[in-house]
Amino acid sequence: MLRYVQTLTADLGWPPEEMARTQKNKVRGRVGGSATEYHLGLLKAKLAKYRAQLLEPTTKSSGGGTGFDVQKAGDARVCLIGFPSVGKSTLLSKMTNTVSEVAAYEFTTLTAIPGVIEYKGARIQLLDLPGIVEGASGGRGRGRQVVSTAKTSDLIVMMLDATKSSEQRRLLEIELDAVGIRLNRTKPDVVFKQKAAGGINATVKLTKLDEKAIKTILAGYKIHNCDVMIREDITVDELIDVLIGTRKYVPCLYVFNKIDAISLEQVDKLARQDHSMVISCEVGLNLDQLVEKIWDSIGLVKVYTKKRGQHPDLKDPICMRKGATIEDVCLGIHRSLVPNFKYALVWVCLSQSPRNGKNIECALGKIIQIFASRSESRAESHRG
């Protein structure tokens, strides 16, 4: 492994140091502006390429990037990520029926401990992962296993200590970003296909890249003929993410624990941050609101099934992601429904709630009845 790292370092050049020199030269005016941008783009492409090879070698090795052996169960998976002793195990014990060891010393949890949150008819798997340390993306403190498991989650809950500085959040984001996890970001709307001949087509005005910079980055990956369709104003880093193709875009909820130990002004400041929630596991403050926030962040919707000639089953819904198709629900019920599918009937489930003397219609979910080519119709899903 050491020889592998040394080989990569020699081939690299070494980009981080060269990038730092290039940025300094740019500030001092020693390098032309456009030429500097092209050079930095090429260095970023090299750095991302070799980092991917270092973290995910092509040859199989023991303990490379495999996560904990915990089977994914339920309608969604939520992973608790954070430094040691921030309250992850306490939160798991409070929100589920699972007992996770809690102690006054660090690294109490040494493996992934699963629990289940039952909410609105959904079963959400909550994983308590061991506390990670700085340098986890490089393998320190079983960090590879932790971040590899986080890649399989539908939502990352980043547990933070409200009594400590914001540096903890920045360090955790750096570790997750280093292994290709993009928090609270969507995949760039870029279509890339290698061909014998092609070109670069942009449907929007590019203000952060130009065609020469794109070709320079593509050349860094030894791609000289391809068809690139860009539908949004992307950056160099986003283009590199598309070329690598192994990035994972995961929503993240920043949960600040131990707010009972800080002032109200500090609590208000933390609560106003984007994608943030303030709680206290010790006194049980805001835990119910946290469950609701998790539900909203995952983006689950309820689908009710209906058999022919019967009322819909409103007690046992099927939970699907927003944007799920009828085919997705068919697969959720039984895979044999897909090849035998004929058509489906969909009803919108509404309720009327009085507000200010008026009846407001609130969409609760959808009822679906599936007709298959076999015998009788079967219930199915809707498009969220």
Side-chain angles (χ1 to χ4, degrees), residues 337-353:
L337 279 178
V338 176
N340 298 304
F341 176 80
K342 292 177 65 177
Y343 64 93
L345 300 179
V346 182
W347 294 266
V348 178
C349 182
L350 301 174
S351 71
Q352 290 187 339
S353 58

PDB file of all heavy atoms in Angstrom, residues 337-353:
ATOM      1  N   LEU A 337     -45.673  -8.284 -10.512  1.00  0.00           N
ATOM      2  CA  LEU A 337     -46.681  -7.340 -10.988  1.00  0.00           C
ATOM      3  C   LEU A 337     -46.202  -6.568 -12.210  1.00  0.00           C
ATOM      4  O   LEU A 337     -47.015  -6.150 -13.035  1.00  0.00           O
ATOM      5  CB  LEU A 337     -47.047  -6.349  -9.874  1.00  0.00           C
ATOM      6  CG  LEU A 337     -48.051  -6.820  -8.817  1.00  0.00           C
ATOM      7  CD1 LEU A 337     -48.245  -5.747  -7.772  1.00  0.00           C
ATOM      8  CD2 LEU A 337     -49.377  -7.195  -9.457  1.00  0.00           C
ATOM      9  N   VAL A 338     -44.909  -6.349 -12.332  1.00  0.00           N
ATOM     10  CA  VAL A 338     -44.394  -5.513 -13.423  1.00  0.00           C
ATOM     11  C   VAL A 338     -44.632  -6.144 -14.786  1.00  0.00           C
ATOM     12  O   VAL A 338     -45.198  -5.500 -15.676  1.00  0.00           O
ATOM     13  CB  VAL A 338     -42.900  -5.205 -13.195  1.00  0.00           C
ATOM     14  CG1 VAL A 338     -42.334  -4.421 -14.372  1.00  0.00           C
ATOM     15  CG2 VAL A 338     -42.714  -4.433 -11.902  1.00  0.00           C
ATOM     16  N   PRO A 339     -44.237  -7.388 -15.039  1.00  0.00           N
ATOM     17  CA  PRO A 339     -44.471  -7.955 -16.380  1.00  0.00           C
ATOM     18  C   PRO A 339     -45.945  -8.194 -16.684  1.00  0.00           C
ATOM     19  O   PRO A 339     -46.317  -8.266 -17.857  1.00  0.00           O
ATOM     20  CB  PRO A 339     -43.686  -9.278 -16.345  1.00  0.00           C
ATOM     21  CG  PRO A 339     -43.570  -9.632 -14.906  1.00  0.00           C
ATOM     22  CD  PRO A 339     -43.478  -8.333 -14.181  1.00  0.00           C
ATOM     23  N   ASN A 340     -46.792  -8.313 -15.656  1.00  0.00           N
ATOM     24  CA  ASN A 340     -48.220  -8.581 -15.865  1.00  0.00           C
ATOM     25  C   ASN A 340     -49.077  -7.320 -15.736  1.00  0.00           C
ATOM     26  O   ASN A 340     -50.298  -7.403 -15.747  1.00  0.00           O
ATOM     27  CB  ASN A 340     -48.709  -9.628 -14.854  1.00  0.00           C
ATOM     28  CG  ASN A 340     -47.994 -10.959 -15.018  1.00  0.00           C
ATOM     29  OD1 ASN A 340     -47.992 -11.545 -16.092  1.00  0.00           O
ATOM     30  ND2 ASN A 340     -47.371 -11.424 -13.942  1.00  0.00           N
ATOM     31  N   PHE A 341     -48.431  -6.157 -15.614  1.00  0.00           N
ATOM     32  CA  PHE A 341     -49.165  -4.921 -15.401  1.00  0.00           C
ATOM     33  C   PHE A 341     -49.967  -4.526 -16.644  1.00  0.00           C
ATOM     34  O   PHE A 341     -49.475  -4.584 -17.766  1.00  0.00           O
ATOM     35  CB  PHE A 341     -48.180  -3.805 -15.032  1.00  0.00           C
ATOM     36  CG  PHE A 341     -48.814  -2.461 -14.886  1.00  0.00           C
ATOM     37  CD1 PHE A 341     -49.478  -2.115 -13.718  1.00  0.00           C
ATOM     38  CD2 PHE A 341     -48.754  -1.532 -15.909  1.00  0.00           C
ATOM     39  CE1 PHE A 341     -50.065  -0.872 -13.580  1.00  0.00           C
ATOM     40  CE2 PHE A 341     -49.330  -0.293 -15.788  1.00  0.00           C
ATOM     41  CZ  PHE A 341     -49.989   0.041 -14.615  1.00  0.00           C
ATOM     42  N   LYS A 342     -51.257  -4.116 -16.427  1.00  0.00           N
ATOM     43  CA  LYS A 342     -52.099  -3.635 -17.516  1.00  0.00           C
ATOM     44  C   LYS A 342     -52.342  -2.129 -17.363  1.00  0.00           C
ATOM     45  O   LYS A 342     -51.969  -1.349 -18.208  1.00  0.00           O
ATOM     46  CB  LYS A 342     -53.434  -4.379 -17.521  1.00  0.00           C
ATOM     47  CG  LYS A 342     -53.300  -5.854 -17.898  1.00  0.00           C
ATOM     48  CD  LYS A 342     -54.634  -6.574 -17.832  1.00  0.00           C
ATOM     49  CE  LYS A 342     -55.623  -6.040 -18.860  1.00  0.00           C
ATOM     50  NZ  LYS A 342     -56.896  -6.791 -18.824  1.00  0.00           N
ATOM     51  N   TYR A 343     -52.944  -1.733 -16.247  1.00  0.00           N
ATOM     52  CA  TYR A 343     -53.183  -0.318 -15.982  1.00  0.00           C
ATOM     53  C   TYR A 343     -53.488  -0.149 -14.502  1.00  0.00           C
ATOM     54  O   TYR A 343     -53.587  -1.121 -13.747  1.00  0.00           O
ATOM     55  CB  TYR A 343     -54.331   0.234 -16.841  1.00  0.00           C
ATOM     56  CG  TYR A 343     -55.684  -0.381 -16.553  1.00  0.00           C
ATOM     57  CD1 TYR A 343     -56.574   0.205 -15.647  1.00  0.00           C
ATOM     58  CD2 TYR A 343     -56.077  -1.560 -17.189  1.00  0.00           C
ATOM     59  CE1 TYR A 343     -57.813  -0.362 -15.393  1.00  0.00           C
ATOM     60  CE2 TYR A 343     -57.303  -2.135 -16.941  1.00  0.00           C
ATOM     61  CZ  TYR A 343     -58.171  -1.528 -16.044  1.00  0.00           C
ATOM     62  OH  TYR A 343     -59.388  -2.094 -15.784  1.00  0.00           O
ATOM     63  N   ALA A 344     -53.596   1.100 -14.071  1.00  0.00           N
ATOM     64  CA  ALA A 344     -53.852   1.389 -12.662  1.00  0.00           C
ATOM     65  C   ALA A 344     -54.798   2.565 -12.543  1.00  0.00           C
ATOM     66  O   ALA A 344     -54.820   3.468 -13.396  1.00  0.00           O
ATOM     67  CB  ALA A 344     -52.551   1.682 -11.923  1.00  0.00           C
ATOM     68  N   LEU A 345     -55.595   2.548 -11.500  1.00  0.00           N
ATOM     69  CA  LEU A 345     -56.478   3.663 -11.163  1.00  0.00           C
ATOM     70  C   LEU A 345     -55.913   4.369  -9.941  1.00  0.00           C
ATOM     71  O   LEU A 345     -55.501   3.724  -8.976  1.00  0.00           O
ATOM     72  CB  LEU A 345     -57.894   3.170 -10.881  1.00  0.00           C
ATOM     73  CG  LEU A 345     -58.611   2.433 -12.029  1.00  0.00           C
ATOM     74  CD1 LEU A 345     -59.999   1.990 -11.579  1.00  0.00           C
ATOM     75  CD2 LEU A 345     -58.709   3.323 -13.259  1.00  0.00           C
ATOM     76  N   VAL A 346     -55.906   5.683  -9.989  1.00  0.00           N
ATOM     77  CA  VAL A 346     -55.310   6.465  -8.906  1.00  0.00           C
ATOM     78  C   VAL A 346     -56.332   7.463  -8.393  1.00  0.00           C
ATOM     79  O   VAL A 346     -56.961   8.193  -9.159  1.00  0.00           O
ATOM     80  CB  VAL A 346     -54.048   7.221  -9.386  1.00  0.00           C
ATOM     81  CG1 VAL A 346     -53.412   7.999  -8.241  1.00  0.00           C
ATOM     82  CG2 VAL A 346     -53.038   6.256  -9.982  1.00  0.00           C
ATOM     83  N   TRP A 347     -56.516   7.474  -7.073  1.00  0.00           N
ATOM     84  CA  TRP A 347     -57.359   8.462  -6.413  1.00  0.00           C
ATOM     85  C   TRP A 347     -56.486   9.311  -5.480  1.00  0.00           C
ATOM     86  O   TRP A 347     -55.573   8.791  -4.831  1.00  0.00           O
ATOM     87  CB  TRP A 347     -58.441   7.794  -5.559  1.00  0.00           C
ATOM     88  CG  TRP A 347     -59.474   7.019  -6.317  1.00  0.00           C
ATOM     89  CD1 TRP A 347     -60.685   7.439  -6.750  1.00  0.00           C
ATOM     90  CD2 TRP A 347     -59.382   5.640  -6.715  1.00  0.00           C
ATOM     91  NE1 TRP A 347     -61.352   6.436  -7.393  1.00  0.00           N
ATOM     92  CE2 TRP A 347     -60.574   5.313  -7.392  1.00  0.00           C
ATOM     93  CE3 TRP A 347     -58.389   4.663  -6.578  1.00  0.00           C
ATOM     94  CZ2 TRP A 347     -60.815   4.053  -7.915  1.00  0.00           C
ATOM     95  CZ3 TRP A 347     -58.627   3.407  -7.096  1.00  0.00           C
ATOM     96  CH2 TRP A 347     -59.822   3.100  -7.761  1.00  0.00           C
ATOM     97  N   VAL A 348     -56.805  10.587  -5.407  1.00  0.00           N
ATOM     98  CA  VAL A 348     -56.115  11.458  -4.462  1.00  0.00           C
ATOM     99  C   VAL A 348     -56.877  11.443  -3.156  1.00  0.00           C
ATOM    100  O   VAL A 348     -58.088  11.661  -3.129  1.00  0.00           O
ATOM    101  CB  VAL A 348     -55.999  12.895  -4.992  1.00  0.00           C
ATOM    102  CG1 VAL A 348     -55.318  13.786  -3.970  1.00  0.00           C
ATOM    103  CG2 VAL A 348     -55.236  12.914  -6.301  1.00  0.00           C
ATOM    104  N   CYS A 349     -56.184  11.156  -2.066  1.00  0.00           N
ATOM    105  CA  CYS A 349     -56.800  11.079  -0.743  1.00  0.00           C
ATOM    106  C   CYS A 349     -56.778  12.475  -0.120  1.00  0.00           C
ATOM    107  O   CYS A 349     -55.715  13.063   0.088  1.00  0.00           O
ATOM    108  CB  CYS A 349     -56.031  10.101   0.139  1.00  0.00           C
ATOM    109  SG  CYS A 349     -56.734   9.881   1.769  1.00  0.00           S
ATOM    110  N   LEU A 350     -57.952  13.004   0.194  1.00  0.00           N
ATOM    111  CA  LEU A 350     -58.063  14.353   0.736  1.00  0.00           C
ATOM    112  C   LEU A 350     -58.748  14.331   2.091  1.00  0.00           C
ATOM    113  O   LEU A 350     -59.544  13.458   2.399  1.00  0.00           O
ATOM    114  CB  LEU A 350     -58.865  15.252  -0.218  1.00  0.00           C
ATOM    115  CG  LEU A 350     -58.325  15.429  -1.647  1.00  0.00           C
ATOM    116  CD1 LEU A 350     -59.311  16.220  -2.474  1.00  0.00           C
ATOM    117  CD2 LEU A 350     -56.986  16.122  -1.615  1.00  0.00           C
ATOM    118  N   SER A 351     -58.457  15.326   2.882  1.00  0.00           N
ATOM    119  CA  SER A 351     -59.176  15.537   4.136  1.00  0.00           C
ATOM    120  C   SER A 351     -59.525  17.002   4.232  1.00  0.00           C
ATOM    121  O   SER A 351     -58.849  17.857   3.647  1.00  0.00           O
ATOM    122  CB  SER A 351     -58.320  15.133   5.343  1.00  0.00           C
ATOM    123  OG  SER A 351     -57.266  16.058   5.520  1.00  0.00           O
ATOM    124  N   GLN A 352     -60.588  17.323   4.937  1.00  0.00           N
ATOM    125  CA  GLN A 352     -61.012  18.700   5.106  1.00  0.00           C
ATOM    126  C   GLN A 352     -60.796  19.109   6.553  1.00  0.00           C
ATOM    127  O   GLN A 352     -61.254  18.453   7.475  1.00  0.00           O
ATOM    128  CB  GLN A 352     -62.488  18.869   4.733  1.00  0.00           C
ATOM    129  CG  GLN A 352     -62.730  18.711   3.233  1.00  0.00           C
ATOM    130  CD  GLN A 352     -64.163  19.040   2.862  1.00  0.00           C
ATOM    131  OE1 GLN A 352     -65.042  19.016   3.702  1.00  0.00           O
ATOM    132  NE2 GLN A 352     -64.375  19.365   1.597  1.00  0.00           N
ATOM    133  N   SER A 353     -60.043  20.191   6.725  1.00  0.00           N
ATOM    134  CA  SER A 353     -59.779  20.674   8.073  1.00  0.00           C
ATOM    135  C   SER A 353     -60.226  22.122   8.176  1.00  0.00           C
ATOM    136  O   SER A 353     -59.862  22.950   7.332  1.00  0.00           O
ATOM    137  CB  SER A 353     -58.283  20.563   8.392  1.00  0.00           C
ATOM    138  OG  SER A 353     -57.535  21.283   7.450  1.00  0.00           O
TER     139      SER A 353
END
